[in-house]
Amino acid sequence: MEGALTARDKVGVQDFVLLDAYTSEAAFLDNLRKRFSENLIYTYIGTLLVSVNPYQELGIYTLSQMELYQGVNFFELPPHVYAIADNAYRMMCSELTNHLILISGESGAGKTEASKKILQYFAMTCPMTDSLEIVRDRLLLSNPVLEAFGNAKTLRNDNSSRFGKYMDIQFDFKGIPIGGHVISYLIEKSRVVHQNQGERNFHIFYQLLEGGGEELLAYLGLERDPQLYRYLSQGHGANESSVNDKNDWHTVSSAFSVIDFTDDDLENLFGIIASILHLGNICFRENHRGCSTIPVIHEIKWIAKLLGVQPSALLEGLTHRKIEAQTEEVMCPLTLELSVYARDAMAKAVYGRTFTWLVNKINSSLASKEFTKKTVIGLVDIYGFEVFDKNGFEQFCINYCNEKLQQLLIENTLKAEQAEYEMEGIEWEPIQYFNNKIICDLVEERHRGIISILDEECMRPGPATDLSFLEKLEEKVGKHAHFQTRKLAGPMGRKRIGWMEFRLFHYAGEVTYCTKGFLEKNNDVLYRHLKEVLCSSQNGILKECFLAAELDNRRRSPTVGTQFKNSLSSLLEILISKEPSYIRCIKPNEKKEPSKFDDFLIRHQVKYLGLMEHLRVRRAGFAYRRKYEHFLQRYKSLCPDTWPHWRGPPAEGVERLIKYIGYKPEEYKLGRTKIFIRFPRTLFATEDAFEFSKHQLVARIQATYRACLERRAYVKKRQAAIKLETHWRRVLARKKAERRKWAVFIVRRFIKGFIHRDRPLCPDNEEFIVFMRKNYILNLRYHVPKNVLDKSWLTPPGILENASELLRRMCTRNLVRKYCRGISAERKALMQQKVVTSAVFRGKKAGYAESLNQPFADSRIDEGDINPKVLQLLSNEKIQ
Ligand SMILES: Nc1ncnc2c1ncn2[C@@H]1O[C@H](COP(=O)(O)OP(=O)(O)OP(=O)(O)O)[C@@H](O)[C@H]1O
């Protein structure tokens, strides 16, 4: 697969790990140059992304590109910032861990652009619900607002971030973005009052003047021309700016409404921006006593109106200082210089706190309303390493911050990687790298570091100056290998360092700092009198920024340096707790030109970004490692022994699993708690197999789920059927019981009737007798005699004896009649003859009885039974 990876990439190698001469810086640069000349700005070192700023639109951030990278294996496609974003996202979703994308590089290298692309990627590709679309829009639109207030044109970058930014994007367990949080670090407030030649103030000032409507500007008392404002015209760079302020104003204005800014908020906000511009235009004049005065109060009136303060109090605050004696307060007039200082301090304080308010406001609109468990992906976009001709306190802080971030990278990659191999008992050849902890200590160590020395100098009684601070530095850290001053440098170095300067040998190169303004900027004092004025402000934003309680607090607030040091250490705590991915941005040339590859500049960045060391560590090491538990949890479905549950120790489970999948011994190593996979191809194959098995798993899970649903439905139906059955049985049983009851009643009546059958008809036997009668009559049908000789007769019950007898007679008579009618005339005559003969001979002839084979009987026709007509007939015969 590695071969395939190379084949996919026609220009150079897309992963420096695949470089043959991986120790050669020249080969590294060559590969970078080859790719850059073909507009391939991204290259991997393992999972770290190296990005070279193209300074042109390349068309590689389209929606189709986003879709291409979505859910694809990290190394399957050419390197891209989307691949880093997607990888972090998928890891977060599958392992439910917090992630971090740390973007570093010098000013203008493309950090902010990279972080914006990542944010856009999440916004466009993450699953989304209708209700959460607003969160997505807010996440996206918070950026232009922050940039308007926190970015400015510098010599190195037309859109340079002048504050550090850490942004959390929060996701729910389904991977849907549900909120975010922004932390800002050390906004460069001094830019509000001073800009270097060719640089500008923060964008928002120009955007407001350029894009704001006539009505708004009139309300704020502003003119459209930035050159009319001292705070905007010092850099003489506004006109040459490549920034389109008018367009940006429209973007920012529409963003405000999305991120919940009310009309009042905007009125207050622009009131503050305008009042800073007015503040800058206040001119002081020295009176005959050497005190400052304000001859024209036009600006004071506007500021008072916009900030809702008393003009007289503001005027006094800018020209006087309140000194607290033991029992009373004394107003002491300021010199011209101090008035200018007070004015600028006020402008800086107002802007700085308004920026903090703005960040808080954005945070409250981004705050997630969901109470589900959240995972986050953090984006760190901090000002890059800066080296200017003149470097001041700001550059000192910015470069210190970069040192700290480099520390994090060292801790997490170089040092951590080697320590991990050692801890896991994996064979490993140590790699040498420069650990910049020594520089961090030089800056931040308690009591001995530069910041502590600066604080001491700021707080000590007596006249402390920037020069005395420099002397203290020489005294306390003079011997440090990474510190130098003019006095400490040899004859060669001396020429390059001024009297007020000191030099630090940063991991990224040497930077000479001018101590001028260090004490003032570190102290960042706003005179109490002006603070009181601001605390009385009726402007809604300033009311929140300057609380009256602050005036009661007599304790000195921490210096800017210390505050920055503390906030950096809390940032590092946030960063350390997350799984990091790195993007290292490189600036190809100083002129911001496309397709220009400055070898010298890039070699320098490759060196200080530690890319060669990183490559060597990567190359010698393993492409992927995971804790046994995590690895097993993810891939357990690939082996029947580990699926669905592995009961033994995870390490054994992993061993069984990789044996089943067929890993070759050279492809992996088993550490104490982790598995180390050497080649990406091995991981891809496993990942592909997992993807495939996922479908089967899904089918199985679906089947199980459906079965579960069916079973539930069946159980429900069964219960319903049982209920119905029970009910029906009850109905049947009730009917049966009723029938039995009825039968018992009938039987009892029958028995009672039977018992009383012989009694005269009464209610007790009435029914029985009717029944008996009916029964007897019905039965009799089948037992009536068939001929006259048949004397049988169904014995009647006692009560029917008479009726029976009557019936029997009727029946006999009927039979006889039938019989008689059936006798022919000859037979009748013969019969009569016989009767007569019998009458003649009976008793008169011996052997009479024997002469008849059947004795002649004339008694058969009983007179009683015979119809009188027959009898008549017979008697007539007898007579004849
Ligand atoms: N991927 C990119 N594609 C096109 N242009 C880019 C890209 N990355 C950076 N640029 C250009 O380079 C300029 C500087 O980039 P960016 O503002 O991101 O630098 P930065 O590293 O954040 O600098 P700073 O530390 O000063 O904020 C951008 O305004 C843009 O014009």
Side-chain angles (χ1 to χ4, degrees):
M1 173 104 50
E2 266 167 333
L5 281 177
T6 330
R8 273 178 215 170
D9 204 20
K10 305 214 171 35
V11 188
V13 287
Q14 66 176 15
D15 190 339
F16 284 109
V17 172
L18 306 172
L19 209 60
D20 281 337
Y22 69 94
T23 50
S24 153
E25 201 177 80
F28 190 100
L29 280 175
D30 209 34
N31 190 47
L32 210 57
R33 190 186 310 104
K34 255 195 228 164
R35 292 176 64 75
F36 183 71
S37 61
E38 295 290 327
N39 286 339
L40 297 170
I41 59 164
Y42 296 120
T43 314
Y44 289 134
I45 305 179
T47 51
L48 178 147
L49 181 76
V50 180
S51 156
V52 187
N53 185 349
Y55 280 122
Q56 58 178 316
E57 286 308 323
L58 296 178
I60 54 171
Y61 305 108
T62 56
L63 197 63
S64 58
Q65 282 280 316
M66 291 184 189
E67 280 161 6
L68 190 67
Y69 279 86
Q70 212 180 336
V72 176
N73 269 332
F74 190 69
F75 294 102
E76 284 286 303
L77 290 169
H80 203 292
V81 68
Y82 292 159
I84 296 279
D86 189 70
N87 192 49
Y89 177 74
R90 282 197 299 142
M91 297 263 276
M92 179 199 72
C93 289
S94 63
E95 293 176 7
L96 292 180
T97 46
N98 295 326
H99 283 254
L100 159 77
I101 300 176
L102 194 114
I103 310 164
S104 48
E106 67 182 58
S107 179
K111 300 180 295 295
T112 310
E113 287 298 318
S115 79
K116 282 197 264 184
K117 305 290 182 231
I118 291 171
L119 203 60
Q120 278 163 3
Y121 180 78
F122 290 140
M124 303 316 275
T125 60
C126 291
M128 188 63 59
T129 61
D130 286 349
S131 60
L132 289 171
E133 258 175 36
I134 186 78
V135 176
R136 180 190 65 183
D137 294 345
R138 284 177 182 172
L139 277 169
L140 286 176
L141 289 174
S142 61
N143 237 342
V145 174
L146 282 172
E147 280 191 8
F149 284 81
N151 287 23
K153 181 189 173 192
T154 65
L155 287 175
R156 314 190 117 218
N157 183 359
D158 289 353
N159 184 30
S160 183
S161 311
R162 305 318 296 159
F163 69 108
K165 185 174 81 180
Y166 170 77
M167 185 175 202
D168 251 2
I169 309 158
Q170 299 159 352
F171 298 85
D172 71 358
F173 69 99
K174 286 184 270 180
I176 300 176
I178 51 170
H181 190 79
V182 179
I183 307 176
S184 67
Y185 297 91
L186 192 77
I187 174 103
E188 191 193 32
K189 287 187 290 185
S190 61
R191 182 167 295 273
V192 177
V193 297
H194 175 75
Q195 306 91 43
N196 289 329
Q197 192 68 24
E199 298 198 347
R200 297 206 316 174
N201 208 323
F202 292 101
H203 294 323
I204 187 66
F205 293 107
Y206 306 94
Q207 289 174 2
L208 175 63
L209 295 186
E210 187 77 24
E214 294 296 341
E215 216 173 293
L216 177 63
L217 293 191
Y219 170 76
L220 298 172
L222 295 177
E223 300 289 331
R224 214 172 269 290
D225 183 5
Q227 293 307 316
L228 298 175
Y229 299 96
R230 185 182 295 124
Y231 282 166
L232 303 185
S233 57
Q234 300 163 54
H236 308 290
N239 295 339
E240 304 118 54
S241 170
S242 63
V243 185
N244 189 335
D245 293 313
K246 204 168 191 170
N247 277 356
D248 291 347
W249 167 259
H250 291 306
T251 313
V252 172
S253 316
S254 46
F256 276 131
S257 57
V258 177
I259 47 179
D260 272 354
F261 278 67
T262 61
D263 287 345
D264 279 352
D265 287 335
L266 294 180
E267 193 182 311
N268 290 329
L269 191 60
F270 295 132
I272 290 172
I273 297 299
S275 58
I276 289 174
L277 293 181
H278 289 305
L279 201 57
N281 280 3
I282 293 176
C283 291
F284 298 98
R285 195 147 311 145
E286 209 170 32
N287 65 12
H288 61 283
R289 277 184 280 146
C291 306
S292 76
T293 57
I294 301 176
V296 181
I297 59 162
H298 172 76
E299 281 82 16
I300 294 282
K301 280 186 188 161
W302 273 108
I303 298 167
K305 178 196 155 209
L306 295 170
L307 298 188
V309 296
Q310 286 298 323
S312 53
L314 179 63
L315 194 120
E316 195 180 45
L318 288 168
T319 51
H320 289 77
R321 194 175 167 187
K322 207 180 259 181
I323 295 178
E324 290 174 30
Q326 270 177 351
T327 51
E328 54 180 344
E329 287 177 339
V330 182
M331 295 303 283
C332 175
L334 295 175
T335 61
L336 190 103
E337 212 175 34
L338 284 177
S339 277
V340 170
Y341 171 82
R343 177 195 68 191
D344 290 350
M346 177 173 160
K348 287 191 282 181
V350 167
Y351 194 83
R353 293 196 194 194
T354 303
F355 186 75
T356 311
W357 174 88
L358 188 91
V359 172
N360 291 340
K361 181 82 187 166
I362 288 174
N363 279 336
S364 58
S365 99
L366 291 180
S368 152
K369 276 104 201 158
E370 313 264 319
F371 294 102
T372 52
K373 193 176 180 304
K374 298 178 193 104
T375 46
V376 303
I377 295 182
L379 280 176
V380 188
D381 170 21
I382 296 242
Y383 15 54
F385 192 80
E386 283 184 356
V387 194
F388 296 132
D389 292 339
K390 276 255 171 284
N391 302 294
F393 181 72
E394 288 79 15
Q395 280 66 46
F396 171 75
C397 290
I398 287 171
N399 293 343
Y400 160 54
C401 171
N402 278 274
E403 290 284 356
K404 291 294 282 180
L405 291 181
Q406 173 70 3
Q407 257 293 287
L408 182 77
L409 182 94
I410 288 174
E411 291 286 335
N412 274 342
T413 56
L414 306 176
K415 201 169 152 193
E417 181 121 353
Q418 309 208 42
E420 186 169 45
Y421 291 141
E422 221 166 87
M423 211 170 69
E424 292 285 332
I426 304 278
E427 274 174 41
W428 164 261
E429 194 182 307
I431 303 265
Q432 293 307 316
Y433 60 89
F434 171 66
N435 189 346
N436 71 333
K437 186 170 183 306
I438 185 167
I439 306 171
C440 292
D441 289 346
L442 169 66
V443 177
E444 67 184 6
E445 219 177 352
R446 280 188 85 187
H447 306 305
R448 287 190 297 184
I450 295 176
I451 292 179
S452 286
I453 297 168
L454 181 62
D455 282 359
E456 259 175 49
E457 208 51 18
C458 286
M459 282 178 237
R460 81 173 164 86
T465 60
D466 296 326
L467 201 61
S468 67
F469 160 62
L470 188 67
E471 282 162 6
K472 274 271 160 55
L473 284 181
E474 281 172 339
E475 186 190 315
K476 294 204 169 170
V477 293
K479 290 200 176 70
H480 199 286
H482 292 264
F483 178 83
Q484 209 174 43
T485 59
R486 187 181 172 94
K487 204 166 119 188
L488 299 170
M492 289 303 287
R494 199 166 290 165
K495 284 185 197 146
R496 293 190 292 130
I497 311 180
W499 284 111
M500 289 286 283
E501 292 173 347
F502 68 92
R503 179 174 294 162
L504 288 186
F505 296 93
H506 286 285
Y507 77 97
E510 51 181 60
V511 184
T512 308
Y513 299 99
C514 180
T515 53
K516 193 165 178 290
F518 261 57
L519 260 65
E520 183 196 309
K521 286 175 182 168
N522 191 43
N523 263 329
D524 193 30
V525 173
L526 176 66
Y527 290 147
R528 185 177 171 80
H529 198 43
L530 274 181
K531 219 185 246 180
E532 280 173 8
V533 173
L534 291 171
C535 284
S536 69
S537 166
Q538 295 306 307
N539 181 299
I541 296 174
L542 288 195
K543 262 188 189 172
E544 287 178 41
C545 295
F546 292 88
L547 302 174
E550 205 178 312
L551 299 171
D552 304 333
N553 187 2
R554 297 277 152 179
R555 283 188 58 200
R556 204 194 145 104
S557 52
T559 60
V560 174
T562 303
Q563 273 182 38
F564 187 57
K565 188 174 94 175
N566 295 341
S567 57
L568 266 191
S569 72
S570 49
L571 171 68
L572 286 192
E573 265 170 41
I574 296 174
L575 304 189
I576 279 170
S577 63
K578 299 182 170 61
E579 296 263 335
S581 308
Y582 297 97
I583 301 176
R584 302 298 243 172
C585 299
I586 290 179
K587 187 175 176 165
N589 59 71
E590 288 288 9
K591 296 201 170 124
K592 308 169 198 166
E593 278 177 17
S595 315
K596 191 162 186 299
F597 193 89
D598 182 335
D599 270 35
F600 180 77
L601 188 72
I602 293 175
R603 180 175 288 119
H604 176 67
Q605 292 173 70
V606 167
K607 198 174 246 162
Y608 84 69
L609 288 172
L611 298 184
M612 294 308 294
E613 284 105 327
H614 196 89
L615 172 58
R616 272 187 286 143
V617 171
R618 266 284 152 189
R619 178 70 183 240
F622 295 82
Y624 177 86
R625 73 220 51 194
R626 266 284 167 275
K627 282 218 177 282
Y628 288 130
E629 295 85 333
H630 290 160
F631 188 83
L632 190 62
Q633 182 60 27
R634 184 162 181 81
Y635 299 117
K636 64 182 179 178
S637 57
L638 298 181
C639 167
D641 292 351
T642 51
W643 176 257
H645 299 295
W646 171 256
R647 304 279 174 209
E652 280 174 28
V654 170
E655 218 172 333
R656 183 83 59 92
L657 173 68
I658 54 177
K659 209 167 168 188
Y660 183 81
I661 309 174
Y663 276 18
K664 294 195 187 85
E666 67 276 13
E667 287 181 321
Y668 71 95
K669 277 228 157 59
L670 297 177
R672 292 197 180 98
T673 63
K674 288 180 183 174
I675 176 172
F676 292 78
I677 297 175
R678 196 177 289 279
F679 311 113
R681 61 158 190 245
T682 315
L683 186 67
F684 298 159
T686 316
E687 209 26 55
D688 290 344
F690 174 59
E691 278 301 315
F692 179 70
S693 84
K694 251 191 207 169
H695 295 291
Q696 290 173 329
L697 282 183
V698 165
R700 215 181 291 172
I701 290 168
Q702 249 177 5
T704 314
Y705 183 66
R706 280 199 192 130
C708 179
L709 284 185
E710 287 298 320
R711 199 171 306 124
R712 237 183 259 167
Y714 165 74
V715 167
K716 242 184 185 172
K717 275 184 199 161
R718 216 179 98 160
Q719 279 169 348
I722 289 172
K723 242 184 214 168
L724 270 176
E725 220 174 38
T726 315
H727 186 74
W728 183 237
R729 281 207 187 118
R730 198 182 307 137
V731 169
L732 285 184
R734 201 177 296 137
K735 270 191 187 163
K736 200 171 169 186
E738 273 167 14
R739 269 206 350 248
R740 273 203 192 136
K741 203 170 143 191
W742 175 80
V744 166
F745 173 72
I746 297 293
V747 169
R748 197 183 302 140
R749 278 218 329 232
F750 189 84
I751 293 169
K752 220 174 182 182
F754 178 77
I755 293 167
H756 300 290
R757 68 187 178 281
D758 294 331
R759 284 180 40 195
L761 212 60
C762 65
D764 282 345
N765 62 5
E766 187 184 356
E767 236 176 300
F768 179 75
I769 285 169
V770 170
F771 171 76
M772 289 287 286
R773 271 185 196 150
K774 190 174 151 196
N775 204 27
Y776 178 73
I777 303 288
L778 287 175
N779 257 343
L780 195 60
R781 275 196 300 185
Y782 306 111
H783 295 96
V784 282
K786 304 281 182 294
N787 53 50
V788 282
L789 295 179
D790 186 358
K791 293 293 176 198
S792 68
W793 188 253
L794 192 65
T795 317
I799 196 144
L800 286 181
E801 268 171 1
N802 288 340
S804 168
E805 187 51 31
L806 281 172
L807 280 172
R808 190 184 67 78
R809 278 198 200 156
M810 273 170 73
C811 180
T812 309
R813 212 176 292 144
N814 195 31
L815 283 174
V816 168
R817 191 183 296 128
K818 258 194 201 165
Y819 179 76
C820 290
R821 283 189 188 151
I823 295 171
S824 62
E826 296 85 55
R827 191 156 150 68
K828 201 173 174 181
L830 190 66
M831 189 83 168
Q832 282 172 347
Q833 220 173 18
K834 276 183 183 176
V835 169
V836 172
T837 315
S838 174
V840 173
F841 292 107
R842 191 181 297 145
K844 294 176 184 161
K845 183 183 169 203
Y848 172 79
E850 290 84 33
S851 68
L852 298 170
N853 59 352
Q854 196 183 351
F856 185 78
D858 61 350
S859 60
R860 285 212 188 150
I861 303 168
D862 188 346
E863 280 182 20
D865 296 337
I866 300 173
N867 189 316
K869 277 189 180 168
V870 178
L871 275 179
Q872 183 66 46
L873 181 74
L874 284 174
S875 57
N876 289 347
E877 276 180 6
K878 244 184 234 179
I879 295 159
Q880 288 166 9

